[in-house]
Amino acid sequence: MAKPPTPEAEDRRRICRERKVLVSERTSHANRIKGLLFAQGITGYDPLRRDRRERLDDLRTGVGRVLGRQLKAQLIRELDRLELLFEHIKSVEAERDALLAADVADTPVALLLDLKGIGPESAAILYTEGLFRKFDTGGRLSLCRACADALAERINRPRARRLKGWQSSAPDNNDRACLAVAALPARVSALSLVPRTSRV
């Protein structure tokens, strides 16, 4: 049975969702800047670099002219918006890290952060969005283990992907994430049965 999240759990989800929106806006502003410059025949300018303002002064159009006054003013305003987004993203990430640090000891967050390939953002999303489930009974736990075994078999099964005669059997990252999430309740329940002194 699906259980609605508590108001506190729903409020915790806002951090990762806000960061996703901010990153999307950052990409939009960066692409807008690149598009404005590309219309003038300028390529190779990266607005996400630290020296973006210094490099803006050295840009020349495709025919060798300096940037127009209004175009340069528009680009500077876009860079201002972009740098404001950098500050907001940094602030949201600091809040996210503080949330994870508060919930780390012997919790699903600690197990997620221990997994190779899962960083703070992925761990926060998996934890706050409710993709981790607590299994109280043995039947639910055995079902979870069966899901984890099925996903492990799917990941380890070779799949041929033909790209211009080249074959690859590399698994999708989504499969690995699903396996990690499915295996977590089993690991948590196993840890709760092992005395603290004998944990590895």
Side-chain angles (χ1 to χ4, degrees):
M1 181 175 64
K3 296 182 180 178
T6 64
E8 293 78 14
E10 186 66 29
D11 191 57
R12 270 203 314 266
R13 296 177 180 183
R14 294 187 183 278
I15 294 177
C16 294
R17 292 175 181 178
E18 182 182 2
R19 184 185 180 277
K20 182 178 179 182
V21 170
L22 291 172
V23 169
S24 176
E25 289 180 14
R26 180 184 67 185
T27 303
S28 298
H29 284 293
N31 288 343
R32 191 173 300 122
I33 291 170
K34 289 179 182 180
L36 289 169
L37 292 174
F38 188 77
Q40 301 297 318
I42 300 170
T43 58
Y45 177 80
D46 187 4
L48 301 180
R49 288 179 47 164
R50 293 183 186 273
D51 60 346
R52 54 190 161 269
R53 290 189 184 270
E54 293 80 12
R55 292 190 67 224
L56 192 63
D57 297 330
D58 300 331
L59 293 179
R60 297 291 179 269
T61 63
V63 293
R65 294 193 309 260
V66 296
L67 295 177
R69 189 164 57 97
Q70 298 302 327
L71 174 60
K72 190 170 182 181
Q74 183 181 3
L75 290 171
I76 289 173
R77 286 190 291 270
E78 285 289 340
L79 288 176
D80 291 340
R81 295 185 192 107
L82 196 59
E83 289 168 356
L84 181 63
L85 284 170
F86 289 151
E87 294 175 15
H88 287 175
I89 291 172
K90 193 180 296 185
S91 173
V92 168
E93 287 176 348
E95 288 183 31
R96 177 204 65 200
D97 294 342
L99 174 72
L100 291 180
D103 291 339
V104 157
D106 283 337
T107 62
V109 177
L111 295 173
L112 283 168
L113 290 173
D114 284 343
L115 292 172
K116 186 177 181 182
I118 294 187
E121 183 62 19
S122 298
I125 290 173
L126 290 172
Y127 180 55
T128 59
E129 290 292 342
L131 299 178
F132 173 81
R133 293 288 187 264
K134 183 175 181 181
F135 293 90
D136 299 326
T137 64
R140 292 179 181 175
L141 182 59
S142 62
L143 179 62
C144 171
R145 287 183 179 147
C147 290
D149 291 341
L151 282 168
E153 181 183 348
R154 178 180 173 192
I155 287 174
N156 294 327
R157 186 183 335 139
R159 287 184 299 165
R161 188 182 302 156
R162 300 183 183 278
L163 296 173
K164 297 182 180 178
W166 179 74
Q167 291 185 355
S168 171
S169 60
D172 292 338
N173 290 332
N174 288 341
D175 290 344
R176 291 194 188 279
C178 289
L179 175 62
V181 173
L184 271 176
R187 291 185 63 190
V188 170
S189 297
L191 280 176
S192 64
L193 298 175
V194 178
R196 182 178 297 276
T197 54
S198 62
R199 290 184 191 174
V200 179

